Amino acid sequence: MTIQLLVTNDAMVVQGDPLVDWIDLDAIKNFNEPGSGSVTLPALPEVMAQLQPGNRLTVIRDGAIWMTGPMEVPTDYSWSVDGDPGPGQVKVNFSDDLATIAGYITWPEPALTWAGQHGATWRKWDATNSETIIRTLVNENCGPGAISARRIPNLVLDAVAGVGTNTAEKSRFEPVLDVCRRTALSGGAIGFRVQQVGTQLKFGCYAPADKSATARFSDGLGNLRSVAFKQSAPGLTHALVAGTELEGNTIRTYVEVPNTGAAAAWWRVERYLDGGADNDTKGELTAAGTAEVADGAAPIELSTVTVDTDDLKAGRDFDLGDKVAVALPHGLQVTDIVRSIHLQASPETGESVTTLVGSPDATNDPQMVQLIRTLSRRLGRLETR
């Protein structure tokens, strides 16, 4: 295990010596979601001097950046007379750079100031490549194409990856990343991320790879330490999407978006959805139903504790969004998407890497937390109508 911790300012200039003598590190990367982490350090003067508001933490594992982003809680300090003698400890909470984008909402007219917005306006795309939509959303709301007050420093667009399929989208006053995730689901299940390259933060899209033939975990291969597997019935197999009900108009557009495979394997589960458009001429109702069906797919939750080997290493041989294979002890092999990768390390015990594999609903969060998040997303969409 080789882990290096660096503190930089918002221009990515290193602020001092690497942070040494750290006590423990916890960092989790998420697919199409902000990552987060924490590190506990001795509260030495040279350490505290670097933990300033606006600074960033970079975690380097075996020579490659594992996670980098702003410090959300740079100083959570504690000391006790009953503890070990010394300066005390400080815990730093940090996130990756998707968390910064998560602080923005979609403006219907992003080239105008907030006071210049028109209430009846929507930002719309008809039959447009999903990568193009996602890149445009970020660029015009917080990237180099945004008005100056909304630009995230050093954020640029990475090269076009040429991924995704056509979809339709419309939005106003929604969290930018919520719309990006919805578009990624309905437009080819692509991924998006921010990568630090030199002094630039490059936002781009990518197509997750099917690595199930080479990225395999099993007890026999020596890279699987524990596994918990759960498969549940789908929360939705048929999205019944309705167009906007116009006053005085008795004709309303209805679109059904099915997941016939899930319905055949399990049973039919219907859900009504307000599609947010008058009709499906531009594909908006179909796109809304496609994203809803993908989000309600039969959840496969596969939480594994793995160890790196010379042949297979997280971040090098597989990463977020890639499809991997896990051989369960009773003979079943499961293949699905890597949703998160969790690095935990300490100098005494070494490191462990935990991967969460499964469908979009797969999560380690309690069911009540999942429910609240789902309701918040739906209420947020209703409020923007």
Side-chain angles (χ1 to χ4, degrees):
M1 174 186 69
T2 303
I3 292 178
Q4 186 180 41
L5 304 178
L6 298 176
V7 175
T8 70
N9 61 14
D10 60 1
M12 272 66 79
V13 177
V14 177
Q15 296 300 285
D17 293 332
L19 301 177
V20 297
D21 299 326
W22 50 274
I23 298 165
D24 58 60
L25 171 69
D26 192 305
I28 182 167
K29 304 191 296 183
N30 296 312
F31 180 57
N32 289 358
E33 298 267 4
S36 62
S38 65
V39 60
T40 305
L41 303 153
L44 300 170
E46 59 269 26
V47 171
M48 300 298 289
Q50 297 188 52
L51 306 182
Q52 300 300 317
N55 281 353
R56 300 165 52 82
L57 186 70
T58 299
V59 179
I60 300 174
R61 180 183 182 228
D62 294 338
I65 292 179
W66 177 267
M67 181 182 294
T68 182
M71 294 188 293
E72 296 183 321
V73 183
T75 51
D76 184 357
Y77 174 77
S78 63
W79 177 88
S80 171
V81 69
D82 298 324
D84 295 331
Q89 295 182 354
V90 60
K91 184 176 182 180
V92 178
N93 292 328
F94 59 97
S95 62
D96 69 15
D97 289 299
L98 277 181
T100 309
I101 297 175
Y104 287 76
I105 64 172
T106 58
W107 288 16
E109 297 172 287
L112 304 180
T113 64
W114 179 250
Q117 301 296 306
H118 298 86
T121 308
W122 291 79
R123 189 68 175 95
K124 296 182 179 181
W125 292 267
D126 304 323
T128 304
N129 174 264
S130 58
E131 179 184 14
T132 300
I133 297 174
I134 292 170
R135 287 169 58 89
T136 303
L137 278 166
V138 171
N139 180 50
E140 65 187 19
N141 283 288
C142 57
I147 60 175
S148 58
R150 302 185 75 204
R151 294 174 193 157
I152 296 175
N154 305 301
L155 181 66
V156 299
L157 295 182
D158 206 346
V160 175
V163 300
T165 59
N166 282 359
T167 186
E169 189 55 73
K170 62 183 294 188
S171 179
R172 61 175 178 178
F173 314 137
E174 295 180 85
V176 169
L177 285 190
D178 282 3
V179 187
C180 288
R181 281 190 292 271
R182 189 168 71 229
T183 304
L185 274 174
S186 63
I190 63 175
F192 53 84
R193 61 194 171 195
V194 178
Q195 296 178 296
Q196 180 180 322
V197 181
T199 59
Q200 290 185 321
L201 303 175
K202 293 189 173 184
F203 176 87
C205 298
Y206 67 100
D210 184 350
K211 297 189 175 180
S212 56
T214 56
R216 301 182 65 252
F217 301 97
S218 72
D219 181 43
L221 292 173
N223 57 12
L224 184 64
R225 288 293 175 263
S226 69
V227 60
F229 171 72
K230 181 173 73 174
Q231 185 172 16
S232 306
L236 168 68
T237 64
H238 290 71
L240 306 179
V241 190
T244 305
E245 189 171 14
L246 302 177
E247 186 175 352
N249 187 355
T250 58
I251 301 176
R252 194 177 185 187
T253 302
Y254 295 93
V255 173
E256 180 177 343
V257 181
N259 183 340
T260 53
W266 295 87
W267 46 76
R268 183 183 177 102
V269 183
E270 299 178 344
R271 182 182 300 164
Y272 172 83
L273 180 65
D274 180 358
D278 295 343
N279 53 59
D280 200 39
T281 304
K282 299 176 180 178
E284 292 173 292
L285 302 185
T286 297
T290 300
E292 193 80 0
V293 167
D295 197 44
I300 294 177
E301 299 174 42
L302 184 64
S303 180
T304 65
V305 176
T306 65
V307 292
D308 283 344
T309 65
D310 291 339
D311 297 324
L312 188 61
K313 182 177 179 180
R316 185 193 70 186
D317 302 307
F318 69 94
D319 216 325
L320 296 172
D322 291 341
K323 182 177 287 188
V324 299
V326 179
L328 305 183
H330 54 67
L332 176 66
Q333 177 170 291
V334 178
T335 63
D336 217 309
I337 301 301
V338 175
R339 296 289 166 187
S340 66
I341 305 176
H342 191 177
L343 170 65
Q344 295 172 296
S346 72
E348 290 78 18
T349 61
E351 67 177 27
S352 68
V353 178
T354 305
T355 59
L356 180 67
V357 180
S359 56
D361 276 349
T363 176
N364 285 325
D365 292 328
Q367 285 191 333
M368 182 57 69
V369 175
Q370 296 179 52
L371 177 60
I372 291 172
R373 287 179 175 173
T374 300
L375 289 174
S376 296
R377 288 198 303 267
R378 292 178 183 169
L379 288 173
R381 292 207 70 189
L382 288 175
E383 290 170 356
T384 64
R385 301 299 179 200

